[in-house]
């Protein structure tokens, strides 16, 4: 088995990780988290989203956070923009990349962004065009590519259909997301393969929530296909407010440990990453969800 020699991790902790927090997290804490992630060697960070504050109150400070981050050259800062209103608001923060986010499930599309899959693509098309015209990169997130909290199992054909639509409007790369963490390796590989029919291997990333404890296995299954871009969340933070019961993304610490153990380069300093995870976990007042961080913190204490 030949695995990729290096992996690029996109830490989505400040966005996916914190969007579901009930208590407001101050912008200063989010800004510090971004700084600690870049100090730990993360080269891509999903910082915030420009969505309706009525829908996701935790992201209402998007402009303040983007204005406050201490940019480091070589680091890509991305933000979610579901429509032109969000994109126009995002411009002031000078994101390197914007993310339009759709779903392979009709029901989830309705619950999450209040429109059908076809309508979402119609909304995204001018956003993608405006971003490309402005020299901003465009990623597309595809939710519920394996299972949906409302529709159950999702066929790979539906994933391929959405991937094709995303490609058709000019989206440059896509995330294959297991939003509710129900996927297992073969199912995840099928979702990835359906996407790879439309995008090259360098343009497809895995975004695995860890609700059922399968995210690392799914990561390995993706690596076996040659996928080398992954989203993960420091301390395993996260969840989508419109996917009830879904827990956080796979912890970045756990993915880094897995990859280091396999001799795959990530450029991430695991010790510094664990410190970043401790910073946000202490702020939230609960222990990290990362098994690796817990183990290494216990070792440090000993
Ligand atoms: P809508 O209600 O259909 O939008 O929401 P609308 O165009 O009818 O506008 C209604 C109101 O929202 C208006 O305000 C607009 O101005 C305002 P009002 O006149 O009532 O005061 N509005 C906005 N405000 C701020 N920013 C905007 C914006 N757009 C409209 N961009 C909308 C449609 C998409 C806005 C809404 O459904 C929404 O905000 N949804 C948020 C969904 C979300 O953030 N989900 C979590 C992120 S996705 C995720 O976590 C999954 C992912 O991690 C992958 C995975 O794991 O699956 C990416
Ligand atoms: Mg997610």
């Amino acid at each position: 088995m030949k695995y990729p020699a290096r992996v690029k991790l996109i830490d989505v902790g400040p966005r996916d990780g914190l969007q579901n927090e009930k208590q407001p997290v101050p912008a200063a804490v989010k800004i510090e988290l971004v700084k600690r992630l870049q100090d730990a060697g993360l080269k891509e960070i999903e910082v915030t989203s420009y969505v309706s504050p009525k829908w996701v109150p935790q992201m209402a400070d998007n402009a303040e956070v983007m204005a406050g981050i201490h940019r480091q050259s070589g680091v890509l800062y991305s933000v979610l923009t579901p429509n032109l209103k969000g994109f126009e608001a995002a411009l002031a923060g000078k994101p390197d990349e914007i993310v339009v986010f759709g779903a392979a499930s009709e029901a989830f599309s309705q619950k999450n962004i209040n429109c059908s899959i076809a309508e979402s693509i119609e909304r995204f098309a001018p956003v993608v065009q405006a971003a490309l015209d402005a020299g901003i990169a465009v990623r597309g997130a595809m939710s519920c590519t394996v299972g949906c909290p409302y529709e159950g199992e999702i066929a790979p054909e539906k994933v391929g259909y959405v991937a094709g639509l995303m490609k058709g409007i000019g989206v440059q790369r896509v995330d294959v997301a297991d939003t509710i963490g129900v996927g297992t390796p073969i199912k995840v590989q099928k979702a990835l393969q359906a996407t790879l029919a439309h995008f090259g291997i360098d343009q497809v990333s895995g975004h695995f929530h860890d609700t059922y404890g399968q995210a690392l296995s799914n990561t390995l299954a993706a690596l076996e296909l040659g996928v080398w871009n992954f989203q993960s969340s420091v301390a395993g933070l996260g969840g989508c407010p419109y996917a009830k019961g879904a827990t956080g993304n796979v912890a970045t610490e756990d993915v880094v440990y897995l990859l280091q153990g396999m001799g795959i380069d990530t450029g991430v300093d695991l010790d510094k990453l664990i410190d970043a995870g401790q910073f946000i976990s202490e702020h939230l007042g609960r222990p990290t969800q990362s098994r690796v961080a817990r183990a290494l913190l216990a070792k440090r204490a000993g």
Side-chain angles (χ1 to χ4, degrees):
M1 185 65 65
K2 200 171 166 343
Y3 293 106
R6 72 180 178 106
V7 154
K8 176 90 77 74
L9 294 175
I10 306 178
D11 200 292
V12 297
R15 194 281 303 169
D16 201 336
L18 295 179
Q19 70 183 5
N20 216 14
E21 287 299 322
K22 296 291 166 280
Q23 300 303 321
V25 177
V29 171
K30 296 172 181 169
I31 291 164
E32 177 65 20
L33 178 61
V34 170
K35 182 178 180 303
R36 286 175 184 245
L37 289 171
Q38 67 199 29
D39 287 350
L42 268 306
K43 292 286 177 248
E44 294 200 26
I45 303 173
E46 207 172 84
V47 180
T48 186
S49 53
Y50 290 79
V51 297
S52 161
K54 286 184 195 143
W55 285 61
V56 186
Q58 188 62 254
M59 297 286 112
D61 59 0
N62 41 33
E64 190 183 348
V65 173
M66 281 304 281
I69 57 173
H70 307 278
R71 282 170 192 256
Q72 189 176 295
S73 75
V75 177
L76 183 150
Y77 303 91
S78 55
V79 302
L80 267 57
T81 58
N83 52 21
L84 269 178
K85 186 178 170 79
F87 174 74
E88 277 155 15
L91 276 176
K94 298 196 182 348
D96 300 301
E97 181 179 59
I98 57 111
V99 184
V100 291
F101 50 102
S105 145
E106 280 294 349
F108 187 78
S109 181
Q110 289 289 353
K111 296 270 186 197
N112 194 44
I113 51 173
N114 205 23
C115 63
S116 68
I117 295 172
E119 285 163 347
S120 75
I121 296 295
E122 273 172 43
R123 274 188 204 174
F124 299 155
V127 176
V128 173
Q129 196 52 54
L132 295 176
D133 289 347
I136 300 170
V138 178
R139 179 153 53 88
M142 303 189 295
S143 287
C144 298
T145 61
V146 214
C148 166
Y150 313 103
E151 289 182 12
E153 201 150 324
I154 297 294
E157 292 71 31
K158 290 193 177 165
V159 182
Y161 169 67
V162 178
L165 292 176
M166 291 260 186
K167 181 81 187 175
I169 57 169
V171 167
Q172 293 167 307
R173 57 177 186 153
V174 282
D175 311 331
V176 177
D178 181 8
T179 312
I180 54 171
V182 290
T184 42
I186 307 296
K187 288 180 186 171
V188 165
Q189 284 186 336
K190 287 187 176 153
L192 288 165
Q193 277 159 334
T195 307
L196 287 165
H198 302 276
F199 288 88
I201 195 74
D202 299 343
Q203 279 81 47
V204 174
S205 59
H207 176 120
F208 308 135
H209 285 260
D210 202 25
T211 320
Y212 287 76
Q214 304 298 304
L216 281 182
S217 313
N218 295 338
T219 302
L220 189 62
L223 288 168
E224 284 173 4
L225 295 183
V227 171
W228 61 281
N229 288 275
F230 293 94
Q231 279 123 35
S232 57
S233 197
V234 66
L237 302 169
C240 175
Y242 300 100
K244 287 236 169 340
T247 60
N249 294 89
V250 65
T252 310
E253 297 90 323
D254 295 4
V255 180
V256 169
Y257 181 85
L258 170 80
L259 296 170
Q260 280 185 353
M262 294 173 71
I264 297 173
D265 178 33
T266 63
V268 175
D269 179 324
L270 184 54
D271 271 325
K272 284 189 181 169
L273 181 63
I274 287 173
D275 292 340
Q278 275 307 91
F279 164 76
I280 192 64
S281 299
E282 276 165 19
H283 176 83
L284 297 173
R286 54 168 193 265
T288 176
Q289 295 299 304
S290 162
R291 299 282 292 268
V292 166
R294 273 188 258 159
L296 292 176
L297 285 166
K299 207 169 161 188
R300 274 190 201 172

